[in-house]
Amino acid sequence: LEALRALPQITHLNVAGTQITDTGLQTIVEALPRLKTLDIRATDVTPEGAKVLSNLKDLRRLGLSDPLLTVDYTTHMRDQGNVTELTMGVRLFEMNDEQTAAFEVIECGRFPGPPV
């Protein structure tokens, strides 16, 4: 992941299904500040570690799966106000109207599904 520091122009990254951890996500956020799309479905990122995504001011499209699909985390992302498209697993039914209202597009499906 350290090699990403030489590529700050990258705006779309899909690391779904990898062993990325909170530390790896921190490196991604620091190395790629212009990210607009990020897919971290089926990774080892925790809800606490994913809070670093609020530093990505251009992030608009985000792919999430368990354990990140919690009421607290989706509320946190909603409050950040920049993510407008969310791709996730099949847990939409567990989100309330207030959480879903913040997103322009929500895609639900089983991983791996279409990349974001």
Side-chain angles (χ1 to χ4, degrees), residues 23-109:
T23 302
L25 184 60
Q26 177 70 41
T27 300
I28 289 169
V29 169
E30 291 171 0
L32 306 174
R34 296 184 185 119
L35 278 180
K36 295 179 181 179
T37 301
L38 179 62
D39 193 340
I40 55 173
R41 291 179 290 167
T43 64
D44 293 329
V45 174
T46 67
E48 189 61 32
K51 288 183 178 179
V52 71
L53 294 174
S54 61
N55 294 329
L56 294 173
K57 302 305 180 195
D58 293 334
L59 189 64
R60 298 292 179 261
R61 197 165 188 206
L62 180 61
L64 298 176
S65 61
D66 288 331
L68 299 176
L69 292 174
T70 65
V71 171
D72 288 343
Y73 187 70
T74 53
T75 299
H76 170 77
M77 289 309 295
R78 179 204 65 215
D79 292 345
Q80 295 306 308
N82 55 333
V83 175
T84 59
E85 297 185 35
L86 181 64
T87 299
M88 60 183 169
V90 293
R91 292 185 55 179
L92 176 62
F93 60 90
E94 295 183 17
M95 295 176 69
N96 62 38
D97 291 344
E98 185 179 347
Q99 289 172 281
T100 57
F103 302 104
E104 294 174 7
V105 176
I106 297 178
E107 297 176 0
C108 296

Side-chain angles (χ1 to χ4, degrees), residues 1-21:
L1 292 175
E2 288 298 323
L4 292 175
R5 294 188 190 280
L7 303 167
Q9 75 281 6
I10 290 177
T11 58
H12 304 278
L13 183 65
N14 184 337
V15 293
T18 67
Q19 295 179 347
I20 295 293
T21 63

